[in-house]
Amino acid sequence: MFQAPTRQILRASLTTRGANGASAFIPQCTKIVFEYCDNWSSSDKLRTYLAKHIKAVAESHPHVEFVVKQRPFKQPIARGFYVNGRTKEIGLKKLEITGIQQKIQLLLDSSGAKIKPLKRETIQSTSDAARGIWSGLHVEEPFRI
Amino acid sequence: MSRPRRAVLNVVKSLKHPAQPQLDRPRLFPPPEARTETKTAKAPVEQPSSSRTASALAPDGVFSPTVWASLQLPSPPTLTAFAHRVGLANVLTTPEAVQQIFTHPSFVPYFARYYPEEKTLASNAALSNIGNALLGLFAAEHLHATYPHLPTRVLKAAVSAFVGPTTCANVARSIGAPALLRWRRSHATLKQPAVMLDDALASVSRSLVAVLYRERSISAARAFVNSMFLSRELDLRNLIKFRDPKMALRATVEKFGREPPKSRLLKETGRLSNSPIFVVGIYSGLDKLGEGFGSSLKMAEYRAAEDALHRLYLTRQPPHLLQVPSSTFLASGLDIFRLPEEAEYVPGAIGETEVLYGSAGKSGVRAVSYRSQVPSEVQSEEHDKDGRLLI
């Protein structure tokens, strides 16, 4: 009988795949940094947001660290840091307070992954098909030409 | 134009002097260590007398920002945010508790060398040790209870896969540990093994398990390990591989006292084309043990034998019926004179041992055994009707 060649398995290198949310969910956003300027008027709305609205957002998201940083003579931005090591930067130059709130919510909800078009490709999954995969050889009457 | 400007100025003024958030440690850059020891073209190199000196942070009289940055501990908001992220805000109540989890023992002497006046940092060495033992316990009993017939080597490999060093490091990465970890890389010496990033990260996830065990109970630690480690995906079929599955199946079937396996072609298509498909089933008498497909008859038979062996060794206890021995350990804080009302623990069935064939289990070394020394009348062996030895 054919003897298959075997490869040595190094036990310390074996690992498992994780699936965030299957049992425990780890929120992916770790830190949001606001960079504002005290001099330019483009940071007006952000300064108002920082004075009035940020405390409530920070209290309702205790898993995120909020950092307020001054960046003089530059446009205002919000930068989000994520568990996968990537960052997302959003310019807040022309936004009203509600616009800033929406962008901060976007940063909080994001996973940090690159934006990937989902409609183009077929779905790939590691779990088995829920309804099974049809096989033409496992039917009662196989198709005959 | 003037009115908006005045409003802007008012807002700017109010923001410039609002109630500042209280910072525990205002972070200045350049730090004091750099300012006193900064070398200029005109000033000569000075040897300051204070212990936090250039000789520690700047061996050549030049401040090193990378060394300084690697010595800075994470701020309390970062540590508190981590505690909330893993859902342990009620367990890790102080930033110091979180800091201990992220301080690898390699960092402690490095920090003390540059900041000798600061309190010695508490490292996660002991916690990591306890956590490692607990992880091994929970994984081994969970896997053995779930797959009772799994061969020993496969069980050991599966335990390594679920709670081994690589997985512990990956779990730490998935919770955002690399940003908070404080460690120091070192090569292997005669006394100590090398310290790499994976080792330092693995200590973080192990320490978390130990902290839960210490602060709460073994049940809480087990629930954490179940959700963070044992619910991860692993295909055990890749760990059960045979050089000759047909031979292994023949030996296994013989051990169970069944009819020898016979492979039968169930379905085929395209035999003379460039892509034939054969479906072969392996039977023991009337029972179908396994089924396999392939583009050749031999390959299909091979897969059928593998499938039969997988169906035996990967027999699985459903999760809702799973009971592990450590569930009988009492949680801390309970009165031992009044046991809680809980479901009785039913131990799982002892699995069939794996079949040893070929030279497996035989080292070829002749050892003097008890049986060879015992008088001959005791040596007569009794067999029951199935051919198994009666002890």
Side-chain angles (χ1 to χ4, degrees):
Chain A
M1 179 65 200
F2 168 72
Q3 292 244 326
T6 52
R7 206 183 336 156
Q8 189 188 18
I9 292 176
L10 295 167
R11 272 174 37 206
S13 63
L14 291 173
T15 183
T16 47
R17 278 177 69 104
N20 192 23
S23 53
F25 177 67
I26 306 289
Q28 297 291 292
C29 186
T30 60
K31 177 161 67 170
I32 292 185
V33 178
F34 294 92
E35 296 179 21
Y36 75 97
C37 167
D38 263 329
N39 310 94
W40 283 6
S41 58
S42 51
S43 291
D44 278 353
K45 307 287 187 323
L46 178 58
R47 286 196 297 263
T48 319
Y49 178 85
L50 293 173
K52 291 186 181 168
H53 297 97
I54 193 178
K55 190 156 174 284
V57 176
E59 278 169 3
S60 61
H61 296 89
H63 59 275
V64 181
E65 186 192 350
F66 286 83
V67 178
V68 175
K69 190 171 151 182
Q70 218 189 78
R71 194 166 182 230
F73 308 108
K74 294 283 179 192
Q75 302 292 351
I77 64 157
R79 199 189 301 267
F81 292 77
Y82 297 92
V83 163
N84 62 359
R86 293 188 76 249
T87 57
K88 277 171 93 78
E89 296 82 18
I90 299 183
L92 307 172
K93 185 168 65 169
K94 290 176 185 172
L95 297 173
E96 299 291 325
I97 304 278
T98 49
I100 295 176
Q101 284 169 338
Q102 283 168 15
K103 292 302 181 189
I104 300 309
Q105 194 57 46
L106 194 156
L107 286 176
L108 289 166
D109 293 338
S110 173
S111 72
K114 277 192 176 181
I115 295 172
K116 187 180 162 187
L118 297 170
K119 296 283 189 181
R120 263 192 271 148
E121 289 171 27
T122 51
I123 291 170
Q124 291 182 342
S125 172
T126 53
S127 53
D128 298 333
R131 294 167 64 197
I133 304 288
W134 180 84
S135 163
L137 293 165
H138 291 87
V139 292
E140 282 169 13
E141 264 303 312
F143 178 75
R144 289 182 193 284
I145 299 169
Chain B
M1 275 298 284
S2 61
R3 268 184 209 157
R5 204 170 286 161
R6 204 176 296 133
V8 163
L9 278 171
N10 285 341
V11 169
V12 165
K13 272 184 190 163
S14 66
L15 200 65
K16 270 182 177 168
H17 308 286
Q20 295 283 356
Q22 295 305 311
L23 297 169
D24 295 336
R25 280 179 293 186
R27 313 264 213 91
L28 309 164
F29 197 83
E33 303 94 283
R35 286 192 208 118
T36 49
E37 285 82 28
T38 307
K39 193 163 85 167
T40 59
K42 293 174 192 171
V45 175
E46 295 171 8
Q47 295 299 323
S49 55
S50 67
S51 56
R52 186 180 291 210
T53 61
S55 60
L57 261 180
D60 303 327
V62 176
F63 172 73
S64 168
T66 46
V67 169
W68 180 86
S70 68
L71 287 163
Q72 300 314 301
L73 303 175
S75 63
T78 320
L79 300 166
T80 318
F82 170 81
H84 280 97
R85 197 177 321 130
V86 286
L88 298 177
N90 294 330
V91 180
L92 302 165
T93 43
T94 60
E96 287 78 29
V98 187
Q99 180 61 65
Q100 186 182 10
I101 288 170
F102 284 104
T103 310
H104 192 258
S106 60
F107 185 72
V108 174
Y110 176 60
F111 185 83
R113 192 169 115 222
Y114 288 92
Y115 295 111
E117 294 153 349
E118 299 269 352
K119 201 172 72 165
T120 317
L121 294 177
S123 83
N124 67 10
L127 289 174
S128 172
N129 218 336
I130 295 170
N132 191 33
L134 284 168
L135 281 168
L137 165 69
F138 295 138
E141 65 176 5
H142 181 268
L143 284 167
H144 185 68
T146 309
Y147 302 102
H149 304 311
L150 211 57
T152 314
R153 293 168 78 106
V154 179
L155 179 64
K156 288 170 79 172
V159 168
S160 294
F162 274 102
V163 292
T166 322
T167 301
C168 284
N170 289 342
V171 166
R173 284 190 181 96
S174 76
I175 56 179
L180 289 111
L181 178 66
R182 293 299 177 263
W183 69 297
R184 190 103 181 99
R185 185 185 298 270
S186 61
H187 297 292
T189 61
L190 289 170
K191 288 185 190 175
Q192 284 171 352
V195 176
M196 298 285 135
L197 177 61
D198 265 16
D199 307 319
L201 281 172
S203 72
V204 169
S205 34
R206 289 170 186 150
S207 307
L208 273 172
V209 177
V211 162
L212 262 175
Y213 171 69
R214 187 186 66 189
E215 300 292 327
R216 293 289 182 265
S217 66
I218 194 169
S219 321
R222 187 174 51 244
F224 182 77
V225 169
N226 282 342
S227 75
M228 295 293 288
F229 290 86
L230 300 176
S231 63
R232 291 165 70 95
E233 297 170 15
L234 175 70
D235 195 354
L236 282 169
R237 290 175 296 183
N238 296 330
L239 296 175
I240 312 179
K241 281 286 180 185
F242 302 90
R243 280 180 185 272
D244 192 347
K246 277 181 70 183
M247 188 168 81
L249 182 64
R250 194 166 47 239
T252 312
V253 164
E254 194 180 313
K255 175 191 160 185
F256 281 95
R258 287 169 164 234
E259 291 184 41
K262 188 166 165 52
S263 48
R264 298 191 169 104
L265 180 62
L266 299 174
K267 287 276 167 62
E268 63 164 305
T269 176
R271 184 184 279 254
L272 299 175
S273 71
N274 82 330
S275 49
I277 304 176
F278 299 101
V279 178
V280 167
I282 276 196
Y283 289 80
S284 169
L286 291 172
D287 309 320
K288 186 158 117 179
L289 301 174
E291 186 182 293
F293 70 96
S295 54
S296 68
L297 286 164
K298 271 190 189 171
M299 197 63 214
E301 200 181 8
Y302 186 98
R303 283 207 179 98
E306 265 196 336
D307 183 45
L309 289 162
H310 285 160
R311 280 174 193 281
L312 164 64
Y313 287 129
L314 294 175
T315 313
R316 195 181 173 192
Q317 179 83 334
H320 64 278
L321 295 174
L322 197 67
Q323 281 189 313
V324 291
S326 73
S327 62
T328 57
F329 297 172
L330 292 175
S332 64
L334 284 179
D335 185 6
I336 59 168
F337 296 106
R338 238 181 308 137
L339 292 172
E341 299 296 323
E342 56 187 35
E344 197 191 306
Y345 168 71
V346 175
I350 293 176
E352 292 286 342
T353 52
E354 65 208 270
V355 147
L356 300 174
Y357 57 94
S359 61
K362 297 170 200 163
S363 63
V365 175
R366 278 179 158 248
V368 177
S369 67
Y370 165 74
R371 283 180 195 273
S372 67
Q373 291 170 340
V374 162
S376 56
E377 54 261 28
V378 181
Q379 267 186 347
S380 63
E381 292 162 346
E382 294 176 4
H383 296 81
D384 66 359
K385 57 178 174 60
D386 290 335
R388 281 182 228 149
L389 205 65
L390 286 173
I391 300 167

